[in-house]
Amino acid sequence: MGPDDLSALWVTLRLALTSTLLLLVVGTPVAWWLAKSTSRARTLVEAVIALPLVLPPTVLGFYLLIALSPSGFIGAGWTALGGSGLAFTFTGLVIGSVLYSMPFVVQPLQNAFAAIDRRTLEAASTLRAAPLDCFLSVVLPLSRRGLITAATLGFAHTLGEFGVVLMIGGNIPGKTQVLSIAIYDHVESLQYGQAHLLSAGLLLFSFLILFLVYRMNGTSLLRREER
């Protein structure tokens, strides 16, 4: 593995970790609102969040590239606040990754929140638990499996992104080049050995983290049934 591949690995891990943390921070309140809201806007919000599941990544990446450009509504606002350009930067990659992986985090969390018995929350309220305290001490512990699944899916999905990151970040070694793009470059230059090494590493790592999640969730469910 050459220095460019190690650099791509580092960029990929940074991107996955940063995006996952932001997805949990942003996606948790959104998922809670979707699970408990009766608003007419709920269906619209669910549809918008689920769009990356059906849209080709290049379509989402293209419109994000326009939005992040200096004349785009996101890029122009960012520049007005004193920031530099967002397109072809690591920050732009993070924005694209968060939007692209949003349904993989929100949907498991929404399902976990919706499964919580309403009587449990009402019991916490009768004990004078504040809404935030109830959420932190009751909702989140009961939703542990959903949180683990959401974090893992968000992380794993970011590792394999290609179309969105290529459109937004280009292919700048050490800056926006991720492993999926590095693999494509190796294949394009007929360096199949390097492509196989990176691909096999991603495949093994993705399988292991998914296996661990399903293993932990399965063990947790078995213990609950035994009780």
Side-chain angles (χ1 to χ4, degrees):
M1 185 180 294
D4 286 344
D5 293 335
L6 291 175
S7 178
L9 174 62
W10 169 239
V11 172
T12 303
L13 291 176
R14 277 183 60 209
L15 179 62
L17 287 171
T18 305
S19 298
T20 301
L21 289 175
L22 288 175
L23 281 165
L24 290 175
V25 171
V26 175
T28 299
V30 172
W32 176 252
W33 181 81
L34 290 174
K36 301 302 177 183
S37 175
T38 57
S39 170
R40 294 182 179 179
R42 173 185 169 185
T43 303
L44 176 62
V45 174
E46 285 181 318
V48 171
I49 290 175
L51 267 179
L53 296 175
V54 296
L55 269 182
T58 49
V59 173
L60 180 61
F62 171 69
Y63 284 112
L64 282 174
L65 179 61
I66 294 176
L68 296 175
S69 67
S71 59
F73 72 95
I74 297 178
W78 180 260
T79 304
L81 293 174
S84 56
L86 290 173
F88 307 111
T89 65
F90 182 79
T91 302
L93 288 186
V94 172
I95 295 173
S97 296
V98 167
L99 293 176
Y100 187 50
S101 297
M102 186 68 72
F104 294 89
V105 172
V106 170
Q107 290 182 357
L109 287 175
Q110 181 182 348
N111 293 334
F113 292 154
I116 297 176
D117 193 338
R118 184 178 179 180
R119 291 171 297 181
T120 303
L121 303 179
E122 292 174 348
S125 298
T126 59
L127 295 174
R128 298 181 180 179
L132 181 59
D133 182 45
C134 179
F135 186 79
L136 295 176
S137 60
V138 178
V139 174
L140 289 184
L142 291 176
S143 307
R144 183 170 60 92
R145 294 177 62 202
L147 284 167
I148 294 174
T149 301
T152 303
L153 289 179
F155 185 85
H157 189 251
T158 304
L159 287 180
E161 289 177 10
F162 179 80
V164 171
V165 296
L166 182 60
M167 293 292 288
I168 298 175
N171 186 12
I172 307 174
K175 188 175 181 182
T176 62
Q177 186 186 62
V178 295
L179 280 179
S180 59
I181 298 177
I183 293 171
Y184 178 81
D185 285 346
H186 285 311
V187 172
E188 195 174 39
S189 59
L190 303 181
Q191 297 176 344
Y192 294 120
Q194 291 294 327
H196 174 70
L197 178 63
L198 296 180
S199 298
L202 269 180
L203 175 63
L204 180 60
F205 183 76
S206 299
F207 172 78
L208 285 176
I209 60 176
L210 289 175
F211 176 81
L212 289 175
V213 167
Y214 285 118
R215 179 73 176 180
M216 286 188 296
N217 284 343
T219 302
S220 176
L221 180 62
L222 181 61
R223 288 176 178 173
R224 185 181 302 177
E225 290 177 347
E226 288 176 348
R227 291 177 184 176

